[in-house]
Amino acid sequence: MASSADTDPHPRIRHQVVVAELGQQALETDDIDQLMHDACVAVAETLSNDYCKVLELLPGGDELFLRQGVGWREGLVGSAIVPTDRGSQAGYTLLSEEPVVVDDLRTEERFSGPELLTSHDVVGGISVIIGSIENPWGILGVHATEKHEFTDHDVTFVKNVANVLAAAIEETRAKRKLEERETELERTFERITDGFVGLDEDWTITYANERGKNVLDPEDEGLVGENFWEVFEPALGTTFEEEYREAVRTQEPTSFEEYYPPLGTWFEVHAYPSESGLSVYFRDVTKRKERERKLKESERRYRTLAEFFPNGIVTLFGADLEYTLAAGQAFAELPISPADVEERTPAQVWGDTVAADLEPALRAALDGDETSVEFQYVNRDWRVHAVPVTDDDGEVFAGMTMAQDITEQNERKQQLEDTVEKLEKSNERLEQFAYAASHDLQEPLRMVSSYLQLLERRYDDTLDEEGEEFLEFAVDGADRMRAMVDGLLQYSRVDTEGDPPEPVDLNAVLDDVLADLQLQLEETDADITAASLPRVEGDASQLRQLFQNLLDNAVTYAGDEPPRIAISAERAGRDWVVSISDEGMGIDPDDQAAVFEVFQRLHGPDEHAGTGIGLALCERIIERHDGEIWVDSEPGDGSTFSFTLPAPRDRDA
């Protein structure tokens, strides 16, 4: 790559001058983008190339951003993106430990782009990493549109410029971080809810945040620059002076509470010494001190009540969660006494495990909220209810807990849950048995019906009138048995073979049912009127079965007159109530509960056909939809069957 130009000292001198000038500019300017631009101009002009660019590696490492450059088409600088894959010179450079030199991009075998270069007819160039190989900031590249023989000195020159940019970038980063830290420190002091003052080794006030100024200098007479003991002369000879001077002498932090008469204020103070002075954080705790005084007065009122609290414990606690009172009859069953509780924290009394559950509830009470928590202690179950204690102004100044032993209650609850679980399992087994039994009865019933029909056809001429009657009874019984088995199968499948709930248009459901019952409705001259029905959340197939059973029931028990049936619906909270009313025979109030029981019929098979399972199936379907079904009726005045169905969820509602 080297040529005779390597022996010419003038290019090297020019290179050194340019690098030196850029280095001086980097020391004097805070405008890093102007430095990058000037560097691009200087490199392009020095090497007599058409283009120069500074590419910044974007987060993620997949792309480079054309941050500065010269020679490129208008609008590209500040917007163009270059990929970092191996197909681009920039991407290849990021993977290389040495600068990448291209003599002729048209015959280059290592990479073919990127498009930024090819679209500008770039032929050759040099690209180097800005920053370290392990942690590159970006790429500096210079490019020519004609074949150009780059020397070792040219490469070194570009690399040196990249080093200048890298140093300037790092310096800019460092300055920015320092400024951010200083700004954040200032904000931190201002965000501190406590007052804060900084003192130097001569007790001069060097800083005070807004809170500190508001408390210590409400008249805004000025604190910073003043001697602390001159401004707060009444503090001399008090705990303030004693603790501050001792902290500075021992270089150990201190904390204390003290009353400052000139301001009529109790202060809680935390002071932290250093070689350069003292940092003092303080807060006004006058209200807390007053609350503590009132708390002690309240304790006397609460103690009598607490000592007779049945089957439990009552406590009072302060802002530090330390108990100030403990009493209750439950102490008789515990390994500790009220004296073991008072003036101690939950962790000290009950242990870390219980404290982890209890302390959030206590803090919530101090924040003004009521809350309850349950935990175990000495093999017993406890429920603790924590409430705030307020003063005459409604300010929370303490908290109170009421703890009760709920071991027996939980045992009864567990027994109930176990019983429910056993009942659910028993019910599931009964459903499985009903399904299996009814399914297995199908085949023998079909056999009985088939042979009875065969007897009727083959021996019809040989049977006398009584024999024909017996055979007719047997056929009718087999048919009714098969219908009952079919109904039992449907009943057992409601939960196991139902479809997931979805929005269902009851108008469409009713249309399907009326089409299925068309022949029966025409034969009975039935008149059915229906208001507009809602959309509900449910199983469309089961809802069709529900409507079909109820309408069939209304037609069957219409009496001597043609059936007159009305269907309506009304909204009730989150549910819809659908009603199907008829003018038929009606149902005696004493019999209304029985109509929903399996195989319960109010009429014999000679009066009305049926299996006695239709309404039971309706109830089962409604229960699966988390609804209710009931009947309002009087004999001779018709019946109204009503049921609830949930409205569709979310936007479908």
Side-chain angles (χ1 to χ4, degrees):
M1 181 179 66
S3 69
S4 58
D6 290 330
T7 60
D8 183 0
H10 301 296
R12 276 180 280 176
I13 294 174
R14 288 200 302 272
H15 295 171
Q16 293 171 356
V17 170
V18 170
V19 171
E21 291 175 347
L22 290 173
Q24 185 63 34
Q25 182 179 347
L27 293 174
E28 297 173 352
T29 184
D30 290 330
D31 190 342
I32 191 68
D33 278 288
Q34 184 63 49
L35 176 64
M36 292 178 183
H37 173 77
D38 293 345
C40 288
V41 172
V43 171
E45 290 179 352
T46 301
L47 298 182
S48 300
N49 279 192
D50 304 281
Y51 307 104
C52 188
K53 65 178 186 296
V54 173
L55 298 175
E56 180 180 357
L57 185 62
L58 296 179
D62 296 329
E63 295 177 321
L64 291 152
F65 167 63
L66 182 56
R67 180 158 173 175
Q68 289 295 337
V70 293
W72 310 101
R73 286 195 301 273
E74 184 176 353
L76 288 181
V77 174
S79 65
I81 298 295
V82 175
T84 59
D85 56 64
R86 294 181 66 91
S88 72
Q89 182 175 346
Y92 188 87
T93 303
L94 289 173
L95 299 175
S96 303
E97 295 185 1
E98 298 294 334
V100 174
V101 179
V102 177
D103 294 324
D104 193 336
L105 188 60
R106 296 165 297 187
T107 59
E108 179 61 57
E109 296 180 353
R110 295 172 295 179
F111 39 80
S112 59
E115 192 271 338
L116 177 68
L117 301 183
T118 57
S119 65
H120 286 79
D121 299 325
V122 168
V123 172
I126 303 172
S127 57
V128 300
I129 291 176
I130 300 174
S132 67
I133 295 173
E134 298 78 13
N135 186 27
W137 179 90
I139 298 291
L140 173 64
V142 59
H143 306 282
T145 55
E146 295 181 357
K147 192 169 182 180
H148 191 103
E149 186 175 1
F150 294 100
T151 69
D152 290 339
H153 294 299
D154 293 338
V155 174
T156 300
F157 167 61
V158 177
K159 191 172 182 179
N160 288 340
V161 173
N163 291 338
V164 170
L165 294 178
I169 291 168
E170 187 59 34
E171 179 67 18
T172 300
R173 284 176 172 173
K175 289 181 180 178
R176 185 180 300 116
K177 288 181 179 179
L178 180 59
E179 292 171 354
E180 289 173 352
R181 283 197 296 269
E182 291 175 347
T183 302
E184 185 59 29
L185 182 60
E186 182 75 18
R187 291 174 179 170
T188 299
F189 283 135
E190 293 306 324
R191 284 198 300 266
I192 294 173
T193 56
D194 293 351
F196 171 79
V197 293
L199 310 176
D200 65 14
E201 62 273 17
D202 297 323
W203 302 99
T204 300
I205 301 173
T206 58
Y207 182 83
N209 68 356
E210 287 300 316
R211 179 63 177 164
K213 293 175 183 176
N214 292 338
V215 174
L216 301 179
D217 187 23
E219 301 299 327
D220 196 21
E221 296 178 357
L223 288 176
V224 177
E226 299 294 327
N227 183 274
F228 183 83
W229 301 118
E230 293 178 1
V231 175
F232 301 104
E233 184 179 356
L236 292 170
T238 69
T239 302
F240 292 103
E241 182 182 20
E242 178 184 344
E243 292 290 336
Y244 290 166
R245 293 191 184 279
E246 180 67 11
V248 171
R249 186 184 69 80
T250 62
Q251 288 294 293
E252 292 291 336
T254 185
S255 298
F256 61 93
E257 292 183 357
E258 184 59 82
Y259 183 68
Y260 188 64
L263 294 177
T265 304
W266 274 93
F267 286 108
E268 177 189 298
V269 180
H270 301 276
Y272 302 91
S274 66
E275 294 182 358
S276 59
L278 189 69
S279 297
V280 180
Y281 297 82
F282 59 91
R283 67 176 64 181
D284 183 344
V285 294
T286 307
K287 289 185 177 180
R288 174 165 65 78
K289 285 290 187 179
E290 178 64 19
R291 287 196 298 266
E292 290 174 354
R293 183 187 63 79
K294 291 183 178 180
L295 178 59
K296 291 180 180 179
E297 295 176 356
S298 299
E299 288 173 7
R300 292 193 295 271
R301 297 196 299 267
Y302 284 116
R303 187 172 295 277
T304 301
L305 171 65
E307 287 175 350
F308 293 96
F309 187 70
N311 191 34
I313 294 172
V314 174
T315 71
L316 288 177
F317 57 91
D320 55 1
L321 303 188
E322 188 174 281
Y323 292 113
T324 58
L325 177 148
Q329 295 180 359
F331 273 113
E333 306 297 328
L334 295 178
I336 60 175
S337 67
D340 297 324
V341 176
E342 294 176 1
E343 298 184 1
R344 301 177 71 193
T345 65
Q348 293 170 333
V349 176
W350 318 112
D352 292 337
T353 301
V354 171
D357 294 327
L358 182 58
E359 288 183 355
L362 304 189
R363 293 192 178 94
L366 294 173
D367 289 335
D369 299 324
E370 294 187 19
T371 186
S372 294
V373 63
E374 294 183 11
F375 52 80
Q376 280 196 332
Y377 179 68
V378 293
N379 297 321
R380 304 291 290 177
D381 296 334
W382 296 84
R383 177 185 294 123
V384 175
H385 189 62
V387 298
V389 177
T390 59
D391 59 20
D392 295 338
D393 298 326
E395 294 290 327
V396 177
F397 67 91
M400 181 173 69
T401 68
M402 292 158 284
Q404 286 191 304
D405 186 341
I406 59 170
T407 306
E408 283 75 20
Q409 178 182 337
N410 282 351
E411 289 174 351
R412 290 193 296 270
K413 179 181 177 183
Q414 185 61 49
Q415 290 173 355
L416 179 61
E417 291 175 351
D418 292 342
T419 301
V420 171
E421 183 179 358
K422 290 177 181 178
L423 288 173
E424 289 176 346
K425 290 181 179 179
S426 176
N427 187 52
E428 183 179 351
R429 287 193 294 269
L430 287 173
E431 289 181 0
Q432 292 172 349
F433 170 77
Y435 175 80
S438 56
H439 182 273
D440 293 343
L441 285 173
Q442 291 288 331
E443 183 58 31
L445 279 173
R446 279 194 292 269
M447 182 180 295
V448 170
S449 296
S450 298
Y451 277 102
L452 287 173
Q453 292 171 4
L454 183 60
L455 282 172
E456 187 176 22
R457 289 195 302 270
R458 185 169 295 182
Y459 300 102
D460 183 53
D461 296 336
T462 61
L463 293 174
D464 58 14
E465 183 176 345
E466 188 176 29
E468 289 178 353
E469 184 178 5
F470 291 163
L471 186 60
E472 183 179 339
F473 286 158
V475 171
D476 180 64
D479 289 342
R480 285 191 292 110
M481 185 65 176
R482 186 167 59 252
M484 293 173 70
V485 170
D486 286 339
L488 187 59
L489 268 174
Q490 291 180 352
Y491 187 84
S492 65
R493 289 171 174 171
V494 168
D495 289 324
T496 58
E497 298 189 6
D499 294 326
E502 61 182 3
V504 177
D505 185 354
L506 291 184
N507 293 301
V509 169
L510 179 61
D511 290 342
D512 290 344
V513 171
L514 293 177
D516 293 339
L517 297 177
Q518 182 178 0
L519 182 60
Q520 181 183 5
L521 298 177
E522 291 176 351
E523 289 177 348
T524 58
D525 194 24
D527 179 25
I528 298 180
T529 59
S532 178
L533 299 180
R535 286 164 61 83
V536 298
E537 190 83 9
D539 181 335
S541 176
Q542 291 184 352
L543 294 180
R544 282 194 291 271
Q545 183 71 58
L546 171 72
F547 272 82
Q548 182 165 328
N549 286 4
L550 291 175
L551 289 175
D552 179 75
N553 194 70
V555 172
T556 300
Y557 296 98
D560 298 330
E561 298 296 326
R564 296 292 179 264
I565 303 169
I567 305 172
S568 61
E570 62 179 358
R571 189 68 180 261
R574 296 183 178 181
D575 296 329
W576 283 97
V577 179
V578 182
S579 299
I580 299 179
S581 303
D582 63 57
E583 301 175 0
M585 301 167 58
I587 305 171
D588 190 283
D590 294 337
D591 296 328
Q592 289 175 11
V595 298
F596 295 107
E597 297 179 7
V598 178
F599 299 137
Q600 292 294 317
R601 306 186 71 247
L602 304 183
H603 304 275
D606 294 337
E607 299 178 71
H608 295 284
T611 63
I613 205 169
L615 291 177
L617 181 60
C618 290
E619 184 179 51
R620 189 69 176 275
I621 290 172
I622 289 299
E623 287 176 348
R624 187 188 171 227
H625 287 73
D626 295 327
E628 298 180 15
I629 186 170
W630 66 93
V631 60
D632 295 311
S633 180
E634 289 291 339
D637 289 337
S639 303
T640 297
F641 284 86
S642 302
F643 52 88
T644 61
L645 290 170
R649 295 187 293 269
D650 301 328
R651 63 177 182 277
D652 293 317

mmCIF file of all heavy atoms in Angstrom, residues 306-314 326-341 350 377-378 380 382 403 405:
data_model
loop_
_atom_site.group_PDB
_atom_site.id
_atom_site.type_symbol
_atom_site.label_atom_id
_atom_site.label_comp_id
_atom_site.label_asym_id
_atom_site.label_seq_id
_atom_site.Cartn_x
_atom_site.Cartn_y
_atom_site.Cartn_z
ATOM 1 N N ALA A 306 -59.525 -2.459 77.061
ATOM 2 C CA ALA A 306 -58.674 -3.483 76.471
ATOM 3 C C ALA A 306 -58.495 -4.679 77.389
ATOM 4 O O ALA A 306 -58.453 -5.823 76.943
ATOM 5 C CB ALA A 306 -57.311 -2.886 76.127
ATOM 6 N N GLU A 307 -58.421 -4.424 78.698
ATOM 7 C CA GLU A 307 -58.155 -5.519 79.629
ATOM 8 C C GLU A 307 -59.285 -6.537 79.652
ATOM 9 O O GLU A 307 -59.074 -7.701 80.000
ATOM 10 C CB GLU A 307 -57.919 -4.950 81.028
ATOM 11 C CG GLU A 307 -56.567 -4.248 81.158
ATOM 12 C CD GLU A 307 -56.384 -3.586 82.506
ATOM 13 O OE1 GLU A 307 -57.397 -3.511 83.253
ATOM 14 O OE2 GLU A 307 -55.259 -3.144 82.813
ATOM 15 N N PHE A 308 -60.498 -6.112 79.283
ATOM 16 C CA PHE A 308 -61.639 -7.020 79.301
ATOM 17 C C PHE A 308 -62.061 -7.443 77.892
ATOM 18 O O PHE A 308 -63.145 -7.985 77.710
ATOM 19 C CB PHE A 308 -62.819 -6.351 80.022
ATOM 20 C CG PHE A 308 -62.562 -6.142 81.484
ATOM 21 C CD1 PHE A 308 -62.083 -4.920 81.947
ATOM 22 C CD2 PHE A 308 -62.754 -7.165 82.391
ATOM 23 C CE1 PHE A 308 -61.828 -4.718 83.288
ATOM 24 C CE2 PHE A 308 -62.495 -6.965 83.740
ATOM 25 C CZ PHE A 308 -62.030 -5.749 84.192
ATOM 26 N N PHE A 309 -61.175 -7.215 76.897
ATOM 27 C CA PHE A 309 -61.496 -7.604 75.524
ATOM 28 C C PHE A 309 -61.551 -9.128 75.451
ATOM 29 O O PHE A 309 -60.556 -9.804 75.713
ATOM 30 C CB PHE A 309 -60.444 -7.051 74.560
ATOM 31 C CG PHE A 309 -60.784 -7.249 73.113
ATOM 32 C CD1 PHE A 309 -61.811 -6.532 72.534
ATOM 33 C CD2 PHE A 309 -60.080 -8.157 72.333
ATOM 34 C CE1 PHE A 309 -62.116 -6.697 71.195
ATOM 35 C CE2 PHE A 309 -60.382 -8.332 71.003
ATOM 36 C CZ PHE A 309 -61.410 -7.602 70.428
ATOM 37 N N PRO A 310 -62.706 -9.731 75.087
ATOM 38 C CA PRO A 310 -62.850 -11.196 75.152
ATOM 39 C C PRO A 310 -62.137 -11.907 74.008
ATOM 40 O O PRO A 310 -62.141 -11.448 72.868
ATOM 41 C CB PRO A 310 -64.373 -11.396 75.058
ATOM 42 C CG PRO A 310 -64.842 -10.213 74.270
ATOM 43 C CD PRO A 310 -63.939 -9.073 74.652
ATOM 44 N N ASN A 311 -61.533 -13.046 74.339
ATOM 45 C CA ASN A 311 -60.941 -13.937 73.346
ATOM 46 C C ASN A 311 -59.988 -13.216 72.413
ATOM 47 O O ASN A 311 -59.913 -13.518 71.233
ATOM 48 C CB ASN A 311 -62.047 -14.631 72.528
ATOM 49 C CG ASN A 311 -61.498 -15.762 71.679
ATOM 50 O OD1 ASN A 311 -60.561 -16.449 72.087
ATOM 51 N ND2 ASN A 311 -62.053 -15.946 70.493
ATOM 52 N N GLY A 312 -59.280 -12.214 72.915
ATOM 53 C CA GLY A 312 -58.402 -11.482 72.030
ATOM 54 C C GLY A 312 -57.498 -10.525 72.761
ATOM 55 O O GLY A 312 -57.368 -10.553 73.994
ATOM 56 N N ILE A 313 -56.867 -9.644 71.969
ATOM 57 C CA ILE A 313 -55.885 -8.693 72.491
ATOM 58 C C ILE A 313 -56.130 -7.343 71.830
ATOM 59 O O ILE A 313 -56.423 -7.261 70.634
ATOM 60 C CB ILE A 313 -54.444 -9.155 72.172
ATOM 61 C CG1 ILE A 313 -54.125 -10.458 72.919
ATOM 62 C CG2 ILE A 313 -53.428 -8.080 72.503
ATOM 63 C CD1 ILE A 313 -52.814 -11.075 72.507
ATOM 64 N N VAL A 314 -56.001 -6.282 72.597
ATOM 65 C CA VAL A 314 -56.049 -4.915 72.082
ATOM 66 C C VAL A 314 -54.690 -4.269 72.340
ATOM 67 O O VAL A 314 -54.124 -4.414 73.428
ATOM 68 C CB VAL A 314 -57.158 -4.095 72.755
ATOM 69 C CG1 VAL A 314 -57.089 -2.632 72.305
ATOM 70 C CG2 VAL A 314 -58.526 -4.673 72.419
ATOM 71 N N ALA A 326 -50.982 -2.817 75.775
ATOM 72 C CA ALA A 326 -51.390 -4.158 75.361
ATOM 73 C C ALA A 326 -52.201 -4.771 76.481
ATOM 74 O O ALA A 326 -51.797 -4.736 77.649
ATOM 75 C CB ALA A 326 -50.179 -5.030 75.042
ATOM 76 N N ALA A 327 -53.376 -5.321 76.139
ATOM 77 C CA ALA A 327 -54.226 -5.945 77.150
ATOM 78 C C ALA A 327 -55.228 -6.838 76.443
ATOM 79 O O ALA A 327 -55.414 -6.764 75.225
ATOM 80 C CB ALA A 327 -54.939 -4.886 77.988
ATOM 81 N N GLY A 328 -55.877 -7.688 77.204
ATOM 82 C CA GLY A 328 -56.890 -8.572 76.638
ATOM 83 C C GLY A 328 -56.860 -9.927 77.295
ATOM 84 O O GLY A 328 -55.825 -10.395 77.781
ATOM 85 N N GLN A 329 -58.022 -10.596 77.305
ATOM 86 C CA GLN A 329 -58.138 -11.867 77.986
ATOM 87 C C GLN A 329 -57.343 -12.982 77.318
ATOM 88 O O GLN A 329 -57.034 -13.991 77.955
ATOM 89 C CB GLN A 329 -59.617 -12.256 78.083
ATOM 90 C CG GLN A 329 -60.422 -11.298 78.950
ATOM 91 C CD GLN A 329 -61.882 -11.682 79.039
ATOM 92 O OE1 GLN A 329 -62.309 -12.659 78.427
ATOM 93 N NE2 GLN A 329 -62.651 -10.922 79.809
ATOM 94 N N ALA A 330 -57.010 -12.840 76.044
ATOM 95 C CA ALA A 330 -56.275 -13.889 75.336
ATOM 96 C C ALA A 330 -54.859 -14.055 75.868
ATOM 97 O O ALA A 330 -54.220 -15.088 75.611
ATOM 98 C CB ALA A 330 -56.235 -13.592 73.835
ATOM 99 N N PHE A 331 -54.348 -13.067 76.588
ATOM 100 C CA PHE A 331 -52.995 -13.207 77.148
ATOM 101 C C PHE A 331 -52.905 -14.404 78.108
ATOM 102 O O PHE A 331 -51.823 -14.936 78.340
ATOM 103 C CB PHE A 331 -52.582 -11.923 77.868
ATOM 104 C CG PHE A 331 -51.951 -10.906 76.964
ATOM 105 C CD1 PHE A 331 -52.588 -9.710 76.686
ATOM 106 C CD2 PHE A 331 -50.715 -11.152 76.370
ATOM 107 C CE1 PHE A 331 -52.016 -8.770 75.847
ATOM 108 C CE2 PHE A 331 -50.129 -10.219 75.529
ATOM 109 C CZ PHE A 331 -50.782 -9.026 75.261
ATOM 110 N N ALA A 332 -54.063 -14.802 78.672
ATOM 111 C CA ALA A 332 -54.055 -15.941 79.588
ATOM 112 C C ALA A 332 -53.642 -17.228 78.893
ATOM 113 O O ALA A 332 -53.181 -18.171 79.540
ATOM 114 C CB ALA A 332 -55.444 -16.102 80.217
ATOM 115 N N GLU A 333 -53.792 -17.281 77.557
ATOM 116 C CA GLU A 333 -53.454 -18.486 76.800
ATOM 117 C C GLU A 333 -52.124 -18.351 76.065
ATOM 118 O O GLU A 333 -51.752 -19.248 75.301
ATOM 119 C CB GLU A 333 -54.565 -18.776 75.775
ATOM 120 C CG GLU A 333 -55.960 -18.866 76.368
ATOM 121 C CD GLU A 333 -56.083 -20.022 77.356
ATOM 122 O OE1 GLU A 333 -55.389 -21.048 77.154
ATOM 123 O OE2 GLU A 333 -56.863 -19.900 78.320
ATOM 124 N N LEU A 334 -51.414 -17.248 76.258
ATOM 125 C CA LEU A 334 -50.184 -17.004 75.518
ATOM 126 C C LEU A 334 -48.964 -17.097 76.437
ATOM 127 O O LEU A 334 -49.083 -16.870 77.650
ATOM 128 C CB LEU A 334 -50.220 -15.617 74.860
ATOM 129 C CG LEU A 334 -51.274 -15.408 73.774
ATOM 130 C CD1 LEU A 334 -51.213 -13.981 73.257
ATOM 131 C CD2 LEU A 334 -51.089 -16.395 72.631
ATOM 132 N N PRO A 335 -47.794 -17.360 75.834
ATOM 133 C CA PRO A 335 -46.574 -17.470 76.651
ATOM 134 C C PRO A 335 -45.960 -16.125 77.000
ATOM 135 O O PRO A 335 -44.839 -16.072 77.508
ATOM 136 C CB PRO A 335 -45.642 -18.289 75.751
ATOM 137 C CG PRO A 335 -46.068 -17.937 74.365
ATOM 138 C CD PRO A 335 -47.562 -17.762 74.435
ATOM 139 N N ILE A 336 -46.645 -15.031 76.697
ATOM 140 C CA ILE A 336 -46.138 -13.696 77.020
ATOM 141 C C ILE A 336 -47.223 -12.925 77.740
ATOM 142 O O ILE A 336 -48.410 -13.267 77.676
ATOM 143 C CB ILE A 336 -45.683 -12.922 75.767
ATOM 144 C CG1 ILE A 336 -46.856 -12.752 74.796
ATOM 145 C CG2 ILE A 336 -44.517 -13.609 75.092
ATOM 146 C CD1 ILE A 336 -46.521 -11.900 73.601
ATOM 147 N N SER A 337 -46.823 -11.854 78.432
ATOM 148 C CA SER A 337 -47.752 -11.011 79.172
ATOM 149 C C SER A 337 -47.813 -9.635 78.532
ATOM 150 O O SER A 337 -46.966 -9.289 77.693
ATOM 151 C CB SER A 337 -47.279 -10.884 80.622
ATOM 152 O OG SER A 337 -46.057 -10.141 80.663
ATOM 153 N N PRO A 338 -48.797 -8.799 78.888
ATOM 154 C CA PRO A 338 -48.841 -7.432 78.355
ATOM 155 C C PRO A 338 -47.544 -6.670 78.600
ATOM 156 O O PRO A 338 -47.118 -5.878 77.746
ATOM 157 C CB PRO A 338 -50.021 -6.806 79.111
ATOM 158 C CG PRO A 338 -50.921 -7.954 79.410
ATOM 159 C CD PRO A 338 -50.007 -9.099 79.691
ATOM 160 N N ALA A 339 -46.890 -6.911 79.738
ATOM 161 C CA ALA A 339 -45.633 -6.212 80.025
ATOM 162 C C ALA A 339 -44.538 -6.594 79.035
ATOM 163 O O ALA A 339 -43.618 -5.800 78.781
ATOM 164 C CB ALA A 339 -45.181 -6.524 81.457
ATOM 165 N N ASP A 340 -44.633 -7.818 78.466
ATOM 166 C CA ASP A 340 -43.636 -8.244 77.477
ATOM 167 C C ASP A 340 -43.842 -7.558 76.130
ATOM 168 O O ASP A 340 -42.959 -7.587 75.273
ATOM 169 C CB ASP A 340 -43.709 -9.766 77.275
ATOM 170 C CG ASP A 340 -43.375 -10.533 78.546
ATOM 171 O OD1 ASP A 340 -42.496 -10.063 79.289
ATOM 172 O OD2 ASP A 340 -44.004 -11.580 78.779
ATOM 173 N N VAL A 341 -45.014 -6.977 75.935
ATOM 174 C CA VAL A 341 -45.363 -6.363 74.653
ATOM 175 C C VAL A 341 -45.082 -4.866 74.660
ATOM 176 O O VAL A 341 -44.516 -4.316 73.697
ATOM 177 C CB VAL A 341 -46.853 -6.628 74.317
ATOM 178 C CG1 VAL A 341 -47.244 -5.911 73.017
ATOM 179 C CG2 VAL A 341 -47.117 -8.122 74.210
ATOM 180 N N TRP A 350 -43.298 -10.609 68.542
ATOM 181 C CA TRP A 350 -43.871 -11.783 67.879
ATOM 182 C C TRP A 350 -42.875 -12.522 66.998
ATOM 183 O O TRP A 350 -43.165 -13.622 66.537
ATOM 184 C CB TRP A 350 -45.076 -11.374 67.031
ATOM 185 C CG TRP A 350 -45.982 -10.374 67.675
ATOM 186 C CD1 TRP A 350 -46.177 -9.091 67.281
ATOM 187 C CD2 TRP A 350 -46.821 -10.566 68.828
ATOM 188 N NE1 TRP A 350 -47.083 -8.457 68.100
ATOM 189 C CE2 TRP A 350 -47.493 -9.348 69.069
ATOM 190 C CE3 TRP A 350 -47.056 -11.635 69.688
ATOM 191 C CZ2 TRP A 350 -48.384 -9.175 70.114
ATOM 192 C CZ3 TRP A 350 -47.953 -11.467 70.731
ATOM 193 C CH2 TRP A 350 -48.602 -10.262 70.947
ATOM 194 N N TYR A 377 -49.639 -17.853 65.183
ATOM 195 C CA TYR A 377 -48.723 -17.588 66.293
ATOM 196 C C TYR A 377 -49.002 -18.634 67.368
ATOM 197 O O TYR A 377 -50.165 -18.848 67.746
ATOM 198 C CB TYR A 377 -48.921 -16.165 66.842
ATOM 199 C CG TYR A 377 -48.027 -15.833 68.010
ATOM 200 C CD1 TYR A 377 -46.656 -15.718 67.840
ATOM 201 C CD2 TYR A 377 -48.560 -15.655 69.287
ATOM 202 C CE1 TYR A 377 -45.830 -15.427 68.918
ATOM 203 C CE2 TYR A 377 -47.747 -15.354 70.364
ATOM 204 C CZ TYR A 377 -46.371 -15.253 70.174
ATOM 205 O OH TYR A 377 -45.557 -14.967 71.231
ATOM 206 N N VAL A 378 -47.955 -19.271 67.861
ATOM 207 C CA VAL A 378 -48.014 -20.379 68.832
ATOM 208 C C VAL A 378 -49.089 -21.389 68.441
ATOM 209 O O VAL A 378 -49.942 -21.774 69.241
ATOM 210 C CB VAL A 378 -48.216 -19.866 70.279
ATOM 211 C CG1 VAL A 378 -47.002 -19.107 70.758
ATOM 212 C CG2 VAL A 378 -49.475 -18.997 70.403
ATOM 213 N N ARG A 380 -51.708 -21.189 66.722
ATOM 214 C CA ARG A 380 -53.088 -20.715 66.685
ATOM 215 C C ARG A 380 -53.235 -19.731 65.535
ATOM 216 O O ARG A 380 -52.274 -19.062 65.133
ATOM 217 C CB ARG A 380 -53.468 -20.011 68.006
ATOM 218 C CG ARG A 380 -53.266 -20.841 69.261
ATOM 219 C CD ARG A 380 -54.243 -21.984 69.353
ATOM 220 N NE ARG A 380 -55.608 -21.512 69.617
ATOM 221 C CZ ARG A 380 -56.657 -22.342 69.686
ATOM 222 N NH1 ARG A 380 -56.490 -23.646 69.492
ATOM 223 N NH2 ARG A 380 -57.862 -21.868 69.944
ATOM 224 N N TRP A 382 -54.761 -16.291 64.016
ATOM 225 C CA TRP A 382 -55.158 -14.986 64.541
ATOM 226 C C TRP A 382 -55.559 -14.071 63.398
ATOM 227 O O TRP A 382 -54.960 -14.083 62.322
ATOM 228 C CB TRP A 382 -54.010 -14.333 65.320
ATOM 229 C CG TRP A 382 -53.612 -15.110 66.539
ATOM 230 C CD1 TRP A 382 -52.755 -16.166 66.599
ATOM 231 C CD2 TRP A 382 -54.083 -14.898 67.873
ATOM 232 N NE1 TRP A 382 -52.655 -16.632 67.883
ATOM 233 C CE2 TRP A 382 -53.458 -15.870 68.699
ATOM 234 C CE3 TRP A 382 -54.951 -13.985 68.452
ATOM 235 C CZ2 TRP A 382 -53.695 -15.947 70.055
ATOM 236 C CZ3 TRP A 382 -55.183 -14.056 69.814
ATOM 237 C CH2 TRP A 382 -54.560 -15.031 70.608
ATOM 238 N N ALA A 403 -56.972 -8.047 68.049
ATOM 239 C CA ALA A 403 -56.610 -9.381 67.577
ATOM 240 C C ALA A 403 -57.517 -10.408 68.221
ATOM 241 O O ALA A 403 -57.764 -10.354 69.433
ATOM 242 C CB ALA A 403 -55.148 -9.685 67.901
ATOM 243 N N ASP A 405 -58.498 -14.745 68.319
ATOM 244 C CA ASP A 405 -58.133 -16.122 68.009
ATOM 245 C C ASP A 405 -59.253 -16.734 67.159
ATOM 246 O O ASP A 405 -60.387 -16.870 67.623
ATOM 247 C CB ASP A 405 -57.965 -16.902 69.313
ATOM 248 C CG ASP A 405 -57.452 -18.314 69.078
ATOM 249 O OD1 ASP A 405 -57.562 -18.812 67.948
ATOM 250 O OD2 ASP A 405 -56.949 -18.935 70.038
#
